[in-house]
Every structure is written in C-alpha cells, then in structure tokens.
Amino acid sequence: MSLHQNTNRASAPPQASVRCRFTRESSLLDFNKIGGLKSHLKVLREIIIFPLLHGNVFTHFNIKAPRGVLFYGLPGTGKSLVAAALANEINREGVGKVAFFHRKGADILDKWVGGSEKNLMDLFEKAIKSKPSIIFFDELDGLAPARDKQVDQIHSSVVATLLALMDGLDNKPGVIVIGATNRLEAIDPALRRSGRFDKELYFPLPGVDARRDILKVHMASWKHKPSPKLISFLAGATSGFSGADLQALCSKAIVRCMKRVYPCLQGMKVDPEKLKVNDCDFREARLEIVPSTQRSSTTPMRNLTPTIKPLLEGQLKRIIKSIQDLWPHFLQENHKYIVGEERYAGRILLLGSNTQGVCNHLVPALLQQLEYLPSFVYDVTNIFKKNTFLNIVQNPCVILLSRVDEWWDIISDCDQLSIVSTLEDIHADQPILVVATCERDVPTTLRSVFYNNSSILLKIENPKREEREAFFEPLFFGRNIVSLVRVLENTRKENRVLKGHKGDENASAVVSHKEKKRRGGSPSLTRKRPRLSSHNGPKPVRSTSCDSLHNGQKEIELDERQYELGPESCESYTCSIAYKKIPYFTTAMSSLLSQKNAKKESGSQSELSLKKLLINGQLSYEDGDTMTIDKNDSQMQRIRSLWKHASLQTSRGMEVSDLELLYDVISACINIHWKSFDILLKNLEGILTDIEFSNSIEDQTLA
C-alpha cells in the first residue's frame, strides 16, 4: 500500500464527521443570541460580511479584501461561539449558503509523513469549491506553533504549508480563515502579518454590562424570567466570570430549583412549567462555581472584598484617578488606537509592601478595572520561563512587574538586559501600560525605564482614621450576626424571657448562679503591667473598664488629631516600615480557644460557637427580628467607646495585614463569648489592652 493511499484513507472520514457535527449544533445560532460582544460583532461585519456582500467594490478599486481574522483571549470568552454564529449571520444577510469548516489540531495532524499537509490542502480545496465558505481553526497554537529549536520538523512543515495556502487565497475571493487561541505568543509570527490574519480581536472577560447582557440572553426563553434587579445583582456578584461560567451558573441554578421543588427526584417526572428559579437558587449555585480564570490563569484579577474595601478603596480610586488624568484612553473599553500617531504609553510605579495590601488587594483590583485589556504578569513564579517576556508586546495591553525588587537580583544579567531593552523599546506611540510594584524603590537598572519617562510614582499609605473606623464598624454596629449590637440584643431577649416566667424563682436562682460561675470562671486577658510610653507617637491610653474608655475618649481623639497631623506620623509611608508585625495575634487566638475549651469542660451553655450554630441552622436572624436600642443607652455608649478605642488607639499605625488580623481576633472573640455581653466586653478590652502593651514594647525596642 502506498503512502498516498494511507493518507487519503486516514484523513477523509474525520473531516466529514466534524463538519456535520458542528453544523447541527450551530444551525440556530446567530449574532442575536450572543451577549456582551457588540463591538466584536460590529468589527466582524465590517471585515468579513461587507466584503462578501459587496465584493465588486473591492474589485473596482483593485484592493484585496481581508482574508483572515485571529481571535485570542481567555478560555470561555466566546471565541468559538462567535465563529459558529458568523456563518448563520452571513446566511441571513442574503449572501447565500455559506459552508462552515470547523477544524482542530487533532483533525489535521496525521501520523503518516506528509499526511498533515495533505489534510490541509484538501481542506482548502473543499473550501474553495464551496465558496463562500469559512474555515475555522480552533486552538490554532496546537496546529501552527512558533517555529524554533523546540518544535519538531513535522510542525514546521505544517506551518509552512498553512502559510502557503493562505497566501494562495489572494486570487480566490470568498474564503475566510478564522483562527482562535488562548496563547497568542505561541503562534508563529509569520501568521500574524497583514494578508494572512489581517485583524486580531481580543476577547476579554465580560464587564458588568456585558455579564448582564449574557445573562439576559441565557434567560430569554424562560417562562418565569428573573427580575431585572436580580439580574443586575448577579452581574455585579460574578466578577471574573467568563461567558461559559455564566452559562454554568444558570445551569446549576436550574438544578438547585429542581431539587428545591422536587426533593425526591428519583422516579418522578419533572414538570418544567412549575419550575421558577428564585434568588436563593442563584445564590446557592454561585457558591458552587469557581471561575475558570481563577483556576487556570496566573493573572490576579478580582474586586476588593466587602471586608477590605473600606481600607483600600481610597487608594484604588487615587490610582484610577491618576490614570484618568494622564491616560484616559486606557479606561475606555472600545477606544480606537492609532498606533504611530498619538502618545499612549504610560508607566505606574507603586511603592509599598505586600503587608499594605499592594500585591494581594490593590493590583488585582486595578487589573479588574482594566479587564478588557490583555494582562501579562511577571513575578518570581514565571520570570524564569524562557522567552516569556520577549513575546508580550502587543497593542493594547497591560504589563505588570510584581515585586520587582525581590526577584531582580536573582535573575541573570542577560535576563535583566533583555527585560530592560524590551521595556525601553516600547515607544510612547504604543498603547501599553506598564505597572511595577516594589517595597522601597525599583532596581538601579530599571530606573531609566520609569524615572526618565512619563511615569506616575504613587506611595501606598497606611489606612487613615476614617478608613479604620469604617473597617471595624460592622463588628460593633453591623446588622450581621457577628457584631456587638447583635450580642446585646440577644442578651436582652434572654433577660426578658427569664423575667417573664412567674413563680420560677428557683430556676432564676440557678441561672443566676451559673451566670456568676461563668463570669468568675472565665480567664481574662487583662494583666497588670507598668505603663510604658511609646516612641514617635501618643501614649497609649490604658484602661480597665469600658466606662474608663468612655471617659478617656476626648484624650484619644485629641492625641489622634495631633498624631496624624504630625511630621513623623505613622500614617505616612516613611514611618510604615517602623511598625513590625507582632506575634500577639496568634497568642490571642490561642487564648480564645483555650477559653472555649474551658467552658466546654465545665459544661457551660456557651460551649457552642456562634458560627457553628449558624452553619448547623440552629440559629438565624430575620430582618424583623431586631430590638430598638437607643443610641444614648449606656451599653450602646460602651460599645461606641470600645469601637473608637479600637479604631483610634489600638490600630494606630497598623498596616493592612495587621488590621485584618485584628479584625479576625475581634470576630473570634465575639464568636466565642456571644452568650454574655458583659463577658464579651471584658475580654475585648483585655485583648485591645494587651495589643497596645505589645506595641509600646515594640516601639521602645525600635527606639
């Protein structure tokens, strides 16, 4: 048997089956059933549909119409979906029946020598005979990788054949070639010139408006459509979701609805007319889905969490405001860049440590704001990959050098020179935003890149007084279950129930005896220590009760104003490095756990934690299950005094990471001592006092 016969027998059947399968699945798909990609669909109309409809115009002017389009972007963003809908959209325009050929690398590659090239030539020959036609290469990087020493001769021959076939389409109008890939840098550069793939379309993660449109498309055929308010809520709560993730969200919500309406699905016939997907179904489905971009992509991209938002929202707005003032085009999703005629390039240098929330909070939130631009992150985890930094230059994009001062000295001089030369070659006419983060200053070799160009230098500061107050406010006055106000309401409700029982004095005596025993048996974190003055700051106000905290409130506020306005304030970046993380947070957590175990051994009713009761469904609060508490109430004044003390005095000079630890300690204390309001305040005061004492010792050590 000859080699030519082997190749024909192995290649012909798979092509026909692939074409038929894809045609049946996409027979009813058009542009009206695609959401969130209006600009992409408009571009495809201009560069593909218009030349097919009005080919005589290009012939009259003796101009070659576009022959190829390259789709690139993250997985699940709609590249294959748009390509499948393109053929049906062209049919609707009246061009005629358009043949659609869908191929992947496995459909083209053959085990016989020369078989892959023969499959490619047969494919283009069929497309030319069936024109107008569209050839769609999915996962193009697997079929035509970049030709270098690491690629074998077989792939190099396939790439050369594909280049020759695409060049041959110049004399055969009516054939469009579309490629899709997740790794644009892995494709051979020869394919990315005009005349082959004339246009490159980036498919970003959908924004809020795009996610809303995608959800509306998926829910368009539902009999009981969710309310517009619910759709807007879902669009805002699905940050980082791709189009495929949103489709999976709707699918899981339907499954949750089926289980809710029909608890026993086995052997039952489900009536779709009775199913109405509610808010609770979407919320439960949201908890089950992890976005594919967070599982596979190394690019950090997420919004500020509701807990950390009060601390860093002002810093993020300052960064975005700086970009808006100097380079507003980066904040416009559909901006048309004219490369070579206008100045676009920008550089941002963020000075701040990771304990200030730069790399784990601010940078991901900034990339989330620029989610429609391709992002290339380089840190110690991927900087050692070969040729990663040389293939990132594309227009437009965002380049992030994360913690550059930490890994710069450990790479070779050759790699340093390569990175510097690549950044210096980025001309101002290229729309590329370069962002670098470092703790103190950029390395000497990189200073010419940032300091001798149009750059923004931003120093990340520690949270200010108002930001710390807003950060701790939910723990003291929040309507959630873990807050001091809720504990106060729960204590007063129990007291009202006990007082309502008539003739049960013995039971009251037993409860009172247990309460006294519980108060006396719980160890306090407050210990008598000598008062030590702090260096470079106001003296810590020590107290032994919440009443004394309330009495010393004016002194705290006066010291806070003088301290924050002073030249050596620890709110500034210059003094933030003087505060070192203290190991007391771990000690406080261990002490709280020991208290919980002591209560459990003594048989106390407070052995169950608050969060455990919530998880088990043994405790819940509804919106109407609240008590009206006067703000001038003495116990509310104690809560306010403790909140002010934690926000102004205890957390003064702390960085974001330490504030998060303090937040967790206070939350754990509320979670463990939620049965008694007085014991909770006593333990909280002891925790705050010990932290201030540890800070004063640390200040004296640094002095």
Side-chain angles (χ1 to χ4, degrees):
M1 185 178 293
S2 64
L3 176 63
H4 181 71
Q5 291 174 345
N6 284 338
T7 56
N8 288 339
R9 186 182 65 178
S11 59
Q15 292 180 356
S17 61
V18 171
R19 179 183 177 183
C20 294
R21 184 182 70 248
F22 197 87
T23 303
R24 287 195 300 267
E25 293 176 355
S26 58
S27 58
L28 301 178
L29 186 62
D30 53 26
F31 283 178
N32 294 329
K33 298 180 181 180
I34 298 177
L37 294 172
K38 295 181 180 179
S39 60
H40 294 67
L41 303 181
K42 181 180 178 182
V43 171
L44 290 177
R45 286 181 178 276
E46 295 175 356
I47 65 178
I48 293 182
I49 299 180
F50 287 176
L52 292 178
L53 285 173
H54 311 286
N56 58 330
V57 177
F58 292 89
T59 305
H60 175 77
F61 287 97
N62 195 20
I63 297 296
K64 298 177 182 178
R67 289 289 179 263
V69 184
L70 182 60
F71 298 164
Y72 70 100
L74 296 174
T77 51
K79 299 183 292 295
S80 302
L81 186 68
V82 171
L86 183 61
N88 294 327
E89 189 67 21
I90 295 176
N91 294 334
R92 292 179 53 190
E93 297 289 344
V95 179
K97 186 65 176 179
V98 177
F100 188 85
F101 299 88
H102 176 241
R103 295 293 185 272
K104 292 186 178 182
D107 304 324
I108 298 296
L109 299 179
D110 197 283
K111 65 179 180 179
W112 303 103
V113 177
S116 303
E117 294 84 344
K118 182 64 168 56
N119 292 339
L120 270 179
M121 290 187 289
D122 292 343
L123 174 62
F124 275 80
E125 184 179 353
K126 290 181 180 179
I128 293 173
K129 292 181 180 179
S130 305
K131 63 181 182 180
S133 59
I134 297 176
I135 302 175
F136 176 53
F137 291 109
D138 203 358
E139 303 297 338
L140 184 61
D141 54 288
L143 178 64
R147 291 170 291 179
D148 53 18
K149 296 181 180 180
Q150 298 179 356
V151 176
D152 54 16
Q153 185 62 31
I154 297 177
H155 281 87
S156 298
S157 178
V158 172
V159 174
T161 304
L162 181 60
L163 294 175
L165 291 173
M166 293 190 68
D167 291 338
L169 294 177
D170 293 339
N171 300 326
K172 300 176 179 65
V175 179
I176 304 297
V177 180
I178 301 177
T181 179
N182 302 328
R183 302 167 59 235
L184 184 62
E185 69 280 358
I187 296 178
D188 192 86
L191 287 170
R192 299 178 57 187
R193 73 161 177 84
S194 300
R196 289 166 181 164
F197 287 110
D198 302 89
K199 181 68 176 180
E200 294 181 356
L201 285 180
Y202 174 66
F203 283 69
L205 289 175
V208 177
D209 296 335
R211 293 196 296 269
R212 186 184 299 109
D213 294 340
I214 293 173
L215 290 173
K216 289 181 179 179
V217 169
H218 286 302
M219 303 173 185
S221 60
W222 294 10
K223 180 179 179 180
H224 304 285
K225 296 182 178 63
S227 63
K229 184 178 180 181
L230 177 58
I231 296 178
S232 299
F233 169 77
L234 292 174
T238 53
S239 176
F241 276 53
S242 63
D245 296 327
L246 293 175
Q247 183 180 8
L249 176 67
C250 296
S251 177
K252 288 185 177 294
I254 294 175
V255 174
R256 300 303 301 180
C257 180
M258 292 172 56
K259 293 182 178 180
R260 177 174 53 83
V261 178
Y262 298 93
C264 299
L265 287 175
Q266 186 175 4
M268 295 186 62
K269 185 177 181 180
V270 178
D271 186 6
E273 300 293 334
K274 297 182 180 180
L275 296 179
K276 182 179 180 181
V277 185
N278 295 332
D279 183 12
C280 59
D281 302 321
F282 281 105
R283 292 181 183 271
E284 293 180 2
R286 172 63 182 87
L287 298 176
E288 298 178 4
I289 296 180
V290 178
S292 57
T293 55
Q294 296 182 8
R295 287 179 289 176
S296 59
S297 177
T298 58
T299 302
M301 189 181 298
R302 60 180 178 273
N303 289 324
L304 294 176
T305 60
T307 304
I308 208 69
K309 190 174 182 179
L311 293 178
L312 297 175
E313 186 178 15
Q315 302 276 6
L316 179 61
K317 289 182 178 180
R318 185 162 65 102
I319 298 174
I320 296 177
K321 181 65 167 56
S322 302
I323 299 176
Q324 178 67 36
D325 293 339
L326 295 182
W327 312 296
H329 45 270
F330 287 121
L331 299 177
Q332 300 175 9
E333 182 174 357
N334 299 320
H335 184 79
K336 303 296 183 181
Y337 295 96
I338 306 177
V339 180
E341 297 185 10
E342 298 182 8
R343 296 182 64 86
Y344 298 110
R347 292 173 174 84
I348 301 177
L349 181 59
L350 302 179
L351 297 181
S353 62
N354 196 42
T355 56
Q356 292 178 302
V358 177
C359 296
N360 52 355
H361 294 297
L362 283 177
V363 169
L366 177 61
L367 294 180
Q368 182 67 38
Q369 295 290 330
L370 304 172
E371 60 184 355
Y372 42 83
L373 297 177
S375 300
F376 301 91
V377 180
Y378 294 92
D379 52 15
V380 71
T381 60
N382 58 9
I383 197 60
F384 293 102
K385 297 180 181 179
K386 298 298 182 182
N387 297 328
T388 54
F389 202 88
L390 298 178
N391 300 325
I392 51 88
V393 179
Q394 53 182 277
N395 302 317
C397 70
V398 178
I399 301 176
L400 172 63
L401 304 177
S402 181
R403 305 184 188 180
V404 64
D405 54 336
E406 296 182 2
W407 51 263
W408 186 258
D409 293 334
I410 64 177
I411 62 177
S412 63
D413 295 339
C414 182
D415 292 336
Q416 292 182 5
L417 182 60
S418 173
I419 294 175
V420 172
S421 60
T422 303
L423 293 177
E424 289 179 346
D425 291 342
I426 298 177
H427 196 264
D429 297 339
Q430 295 178 278
I432 298 177
L433 180 64
V434 182
V435 182
T437 65
C438 53
E439 185 172 357
R440 299 178 183 274
D441 200 357
V442 292
T444 306
T445 316
L446 280 175
R447 291 184 180 179
S448 60
V449 177
F450 291 93
Y451 291 156
N452 296 336
N453 293 281
S454 301
S455 303
I456 299 177
L457 177 63
L458 297 176
K459 294 183 178 180
I460 306 302
E461 300 178 353
N462 290 338
K464 299 180 180 179
R465 166 185 172 180
E466 296 80 7
E467 296 170 342
R468 298 197 303 269
E469 288 181 348
F471 176 66
F472 289 108
E473 185 176 3
L475 289 176
F476 292 87
F477 307 101
R479 303 312 303 172
N480 59 317
I481 195 68
V482 184
S483 66
L484 266 71
V485 171
R486 281 294 196 181
V487 174
L488 178 59
E489 293 177 356
N490 181 72
T491 304
R492 291 188 175 182
K493 287 178 181 178
E494 289 185 353
N495 294 337
R496 289 173 58 184
V497 171
L498 292 177
K499 292 180 180 179
H501 291 288
K502 296 182 180 180
D504 196 5
E505 298 179 357
N506 295 331
S508 300
V510 172
V511 173
S512 178
H513 176 71
K514 289 185 177 181
E515 183 69 19
K516 291 180 180 180
K517 182 179 180 180
R518 185 163 63 249
R519 293 184 182 181
S522 60
S524 175
L525 296 177
T526 307
R527 295 181 290 274
K528 295 183 179 180
R529 293 170 177 166
R531 179 175 179 178
L532 300 176
S533 60
S534 61
H535 186 73
N536 292 338
K539 299 179 180 180
V541 179
R542 294 182 55 81
S543 58
T544 56
S545 65
C546 290
D547 294 334
S548 59
L549 287 177
H550 176 64
N551 296 333
Q553 186 60 42
K554 294 184 179 180
E555 179 183 355
I556 295 175
E557 294 179 355
L558 179 61
D559 289 342
E560 175 71 16
R561 288 193 296 268
Q562 295 176 354
Y563 186 59
E564 290 187 347
L565 296 176
E568 298 180 352
S569 172
C570 282
E571 304 291 345
S572 64
Y573 171 82
T574 57
C575 224
S576 63
I577 58 176
Y579 180 83
K580 294 185 178 180
K581 187 180 296 184
I582 55 179
Y584 178 75
F585 295 109
T586 304
T587 307
M589 284 290 190
S590 301
S591 179
L592 289 172
L593 289 177
S594 64
Q595 294 179 33
K596 181 178 180 296
N597 294 333
K599 292 181 179 181
K600 187 175 182 180
E601 292 176 358
S602 62
S604 175
Q605 296 180 357
S606 300
E607 61 185 54
L608 292 178
S609 64
L610 191 59
K611 292 183 179 179
K612 185 175 181 180
L613 293 175
L614 290 174
I615 294 175
N616 295 336
Q618 301 177 13
L619 182 64
S620 62
Y621 276 101
E622 299 179 356
D623 295 337
D625 191 16
T626 58
M627 295 181 60
T628 303
I629 301 178
D630 188 6
K631 294 183 179 180
N632 297 324
D633 184 85
S634 60
Q635 291 178 320
M636 284 295 296
Q637 290 294 334
R638 296 173 66 187
I639 295 177
R640 180 175 178 82
S641 299
L642 196 60
W643 167 60
K644 284 289 185 180
H645 192 83
S647 304
L648 304 182
Q649 184 66 26
T650 308
S651 61
R652 176 186 290 140
M654 286 188 178
E655 298 176 345
V656 173
S657 60
D658 297 324
L659 290 173
E660 291 182 276
L661 293 176
L662 180 58
Y663 184 97
D664 293 337
V665 170
I666 297 176
S667 177
C669 186
I670 298 174
N671 182 38
I672 293 176
H673 299 290
W674 66 282
K675 291 293 291 184
S676 175
F677 180 74
D678 294 331
I679 294 179
L680 174 58
L681 291 186
K682 184 178 180 181
N683 282 275
L684 270 182
E685 183 187 356
I687 290 174
L688 300 180
T689 304
D690 285 344
I691 292 177
E692 295 168 14
F693 182 80
S694 301
N695 288 347
S696 62
I697 295 179
E698 185 70 23
D699 292 338
Q700 283 196 345
T701 304
L702 294 175

